[in-house]
Every structure is written in C-alpha cells, then in structure tokens.
Amino acid sequence: MHFDMFNLFGVQHSTFQNFLRGVKEGYLSKPYHNFAHGFDAMQAVYTFLTSMKASSYVATLEMFAFLIAALCHDINHNGLTNAYHVNAQTDLAILHNDQSVLENHHCAYLFQLLRQPNCNILGSLKQSEFRHVRKIIISSILATDMAFHFSLTEQLHKLVEVMLEKNIISKEPPPPPPVPGTPPPPIPPTAVSPRSGGSRAFRLNSGLSHPRSPSMAAEDAWTQSTHPRTESNLTAAERETFIKILMHSADVSNPCRPWDLSKKWSDLLVEEFFNQGDRERAENLPVSPNMDRSTSKQSQLSLNFVDFVVGPLFATIAQILPEAEICCTHMTTNRQTWEEIRENERESDTPKAKSAGSPVQLSKSQEQVLWKRRKTAFHEVIGAGAVKSTESPSRSSGSNPSVLETFMEALQQEEEDSSEQDV
C-alpha cells in the first residue's frame, strides 16, 4: 500500500481479505448505496490524500482510520433516507432516537464486524491507538449526514482562516498545473520507524503552538512523530475537522467526476430516490423532497446540488488543496451539460408538465433570467474559492463575502424574484 499501513499497523493480508469480504457482504444490493459507492468514496479519499496532498495535514494513523471510514461509511444502507426512517418510525429510528439514524447504524455495523477476530484489522493496535482510530471513524462517518452540510461548510471556512493565520497555506494563487506528459515528482518514503520494541513513529505534523485543553495537548503530544513534517501545524481537533470535511466531500463528489461517470452515479441515485418516493406514497407518508418521480427533474436536482452544495464546498477545499481545482473543472463542465439538458426538457415539456409541483409560474424569459443569475453566481463562487485572500483572514467590512454567503445571497435574490412574479 502507498503508506505501508499493513506493515505499520500489523495487518495480516488474510485478516484484511476477511474484513473486505465482510464489508462487501454488509453492503446491500441497492441502486446507489452499495459496495461500489463505498469503494468509490474510499478511492476519492485516497486521491485527496495522495494526488491532492492532503496527507501533509494528517497523521498516518488518522489516514488509516479515514480510509476504513470511507470504505464503510454507508455499510448496510437500505436505500432509504433518514427522513424516511424518522417518518416511518422504523426500528433503526427508534434505536438511534431519530438522530443521524443511518450514520449511527453504519458505525455500529462496522464495529460489530471488527469484533470478529478473523476480520479485526485493528487487532494489533495499542489501546490508545484503537481509541483514536475509533474516534476518527465515528466522527467522519457521522459527518456524512447531509443535515450537517452547512455547519461543516462553515467549519471549513474557519479552517481556511486558521491555516492562513498559521501560514500553512499560501495567500498567493497556486502555481499553474504541470504540463501534460510531465512526470510527477517522486513520492517521499514514508517516515516510520520499525515496529519493534513497542515503539512506533507516525508520519505526522510538526509541533503545535497555540493554546488548547490539557487533553487535546496530550493527544497532540502522543501523535507527534520522530520525523516531523513541516507542511502542517494543525491541532488534533483541527485535523479531525479536516478529515470530517474531506469525508463529506468524498461522499458527495460525484458531480466532480468526468461526465460519463458522474451521469451514471446520478442516474443510480435518482433511481433510488424515486423508489423511496413510490414507497412513501404507498405507505401514506410524506413524499420527501426531490423523490416524487411525477414532479422532480433529474437535471434540476443535479443543478441544485452543484449550485448550493458541491460547488461552494469544493471551491473552498481548493484553497487548501490546490490540486482539487480539477474537481471544479469537471463540475463546471458537468453543470453546463445539465443546463443544456434542462433547457431541452423545458422546450419539450407540455404546459401541464411545466407547472407540475411549482407554485410559481414563470414565463420562458423570466425563467431564463433566473437560471442566468444562477449560472453567474456559480461561476462567481468557483472563482471566489480559487482565489486566496491577500488580506487578513479575519472577517472585516472590507473583506470578500464567503463562498457560502455568496450563494445564499443568490438564492435569496432568486426567491424574492419568484415571489414578485407570484404577486
């Protein structure tokens, strides 16, 4: 493996094979939330850590936990959302008190699997290491609950400010990408000590400087390496926040893939959504937003997801990981394609189809104005995220609005325009 984790953490290949088999069997046969999605999220995390250099900011032990969490973040998902479970008062909702129902279930299922001796890839860890790994896995899987998206986005903005203050990331624009065909720079060897004498050195960040609680200071001291890395100076809490943000980002990264792959994932997700909507209607439950096949359009769902969720998220991530600009590039191209599909659907829709589920009826010209504003706002957000502030990272009257603020202002303006048309 790239980070030599099998040797570093004493994972036997046979144990890993049993674990992987158990994970695959734990995923159900659903259109979207299946083993392929879990593996895809892990691949995204691995890309963050390697090609996009996120490994500079976290410890190897934390990367080990991160990859496990990504692979298993949706294990035993039954293709229904938290809203369905809460509305239907399923056994899972009762068990987890309506709080992050599925995410809590995924965590519990994973650690039940790890309790099986032949699947326990954490079996060679010390107790202190196991507790840290368990903490990272649980917090990152719980962070995939979409209910936490906007709070995570705000935490990301604050993390960018912290990293600017500590000079961890540059205030200057990132250098241009390498010329195609240029070989990548060599990967430095993993800085670890032999697993002997009860000691282990991790590939970690450099010393930490600003005040923190005694428990967090102890955790920082425990995770320091005999081969400190100078790229980062994040506290344990900041590293955990960074991992949570990247886990959520990997989970929603489908719009950042090349079109053919992104469209396939979108098709599968919409299929699962509409299946839930059918079930909700059959059970006399409220049909969840975006899951009514008679009124929801895949193109508009995709545009909303890009404009209000994935776009602001990845534009800000690119401030920390400049190599993530490729995600924004794919997303911009995909958005343009979805916009073309939406326009073609608009032309072919009957008047009844155009009005289905919409309380506000807009003329073609009015609708074009609204979508043009959306497109402009999207490009402003992508541009705002790609340019690093050259002033103090603290918010002031003269500072640029955050990525999230820019989008929320655009959304509010759109709602006001719609209300005016309704009047």
Side-chain angles (χ1 to χ4, degrees), residues 61-62 128-136 219 222:
L61 182 66
E62 293 163 345
S128 58
E129 294 168 337
F130 173 80
R131 287 194 296 269
H132 191 59
V133 165
R134 177 171 163 81
K135 179 183 178 184
I136 294 295
E219 185 173 357
W222 171 74

Side-chain angles (χ1 to χ4, degrees), residues 52-73:
M52 299 182 187
K53 303 183 176 71
S55 60
S56 299
Y57 304 115
V58 294
T60 303
L61 182 66
E62 293 163 345
M63 287 190 280
F64 184 45
F66 192 9
L67 290 165
I68 295 170
L71 178 64
C72 303
H73 79 281

